[in-house]
Amino acid sequence: MTRYVALLRGVNVGTTRLAMADLRRIVTDLGHDDVKTYLQSGNVAFGSTVRDAEKLAAGIARALTDELALTVPVLVRSGRELAAIAGGNPYADREDDPTRLLVAFLATAPKKSTVDALAAPGGENVSFTVTGREVFLHYVDGGYGRSKFTNAYLEKKLGVVATSRNWKSVRALAEMTAS
């Protein structure tokens, strides 16, 4: 049994509403074990014998559409991947405020050319490091809420689906999926 987390993009932050009890039920009904949600923003940790993260993501997305008529991107990471992310933030030693540190999880690794062209909009003071399917973000002068360096910006510039979590959430999800 491998521990995973599914990260749903755009849930309970805009017009897409999803009760976490419904999310837990759907993931449990798909045959996964020890299903737990974190916060109200579409984070669900679970154990599964399935070893294919893309298959897991597709199954959850399909069930959300079939049962609740919700169409939302779902990204899945294993507990091992989350542990590496939580242990590999290049900005963790520079910032005490976890709301200024975020990780943007990407559906796929972006093309090198799009990564090379990525820059903070309008001269914003944002540090970022793209590593595989993650973008580590450090909002030096403020938080994510006042920045234009958002999921929508990353998706447009990198050409991939993204969903972000603050550093406190990343660490909590890593703990929830630790074996």
Side-chain angles (χ1 to χ4, degrees):
M1 180 91 42
T2 301
R3 296 287 299 160
Y4 294 96
V5 68
L7 306 162
L8 283 63
R9 186 191 189 304
V11 169
N12 296 339
V13 294
T15 59
T16 303
R17 296 287 171 215
L18 173 62
M20 293 301 100
D22 287 337
L23 179 58
R24 286 190 299 274
R25 178 186 53 76
I26 285 171
V27 174
T28 300
D29 288 351
L30 289 170
H32 306 305
D33 295 320
D34 192 25
V35 178
K36 297 176 184 172
T37 53
Y38 177 72
L39 300 177
Q40 297 296 315
S41 55
N43 305 298
V44 60
F46 58 95
S48 182
T49 57
V50 176
R51 301 280 185 200
D52 184 336
E54 288 183 24
K55 183 176 178 182
L56 291 167
I60 294 168
R62 187 173 43 258
L64 288 166
T65 300
D66 292 348
E67 295 185 35
L68 302 174
L70 290 177
T71 303
V72 296
V74 177
L75 287 71
V76 172
R77 298 295 191 272
S78 70
R80 189 178 63 185
E81 289 172 313
L82 277 169
I85 292 163
N89 189 328
Y91 308 111
D93 62 345
R94 299 183 201 172
E95 181 63 61
D96 293 330
D97 183 352
T99 65
R100 291 181 181 220
L101 294 175
L102 282 84
V103 176
F105 295 88
L106 308 176
T108 59
K111 295 178 184 175
K112 183 178 180 338
S113 60
T114 62
V115 172
D116 291 344
L118 186 62
E124 286 189 35
N125 194 3
V126 178
S127 298
F128 62 91
T129 302
V130 180
T131 304
R133 296 183 301 156
E134 280 73 43
V135 182
F136 292 94
L137 301 159
H138 179 209
Y139 293 86
V140 178
D141 293 332
Y144 177 82
R146 288 178 259 144
S147 177
K148 293 180 182 168
F149 202 86
T150 62
N151 274 324
Y153 182 83
L154 285 168
E155 288 178 333
K156 181 179 178 183
K157 296 296 183 182
L158 296 176
V160 299
V161 171
T163 187
S164 296
R165 300 298 186 269
N166 71 32
W167 194 236
K168 181 179 178 184
S169 293
V170 171
R171 290 186 310 205
L173 293 169
E175 288 177 20
M176 289 175 72
T177 57
S179 299

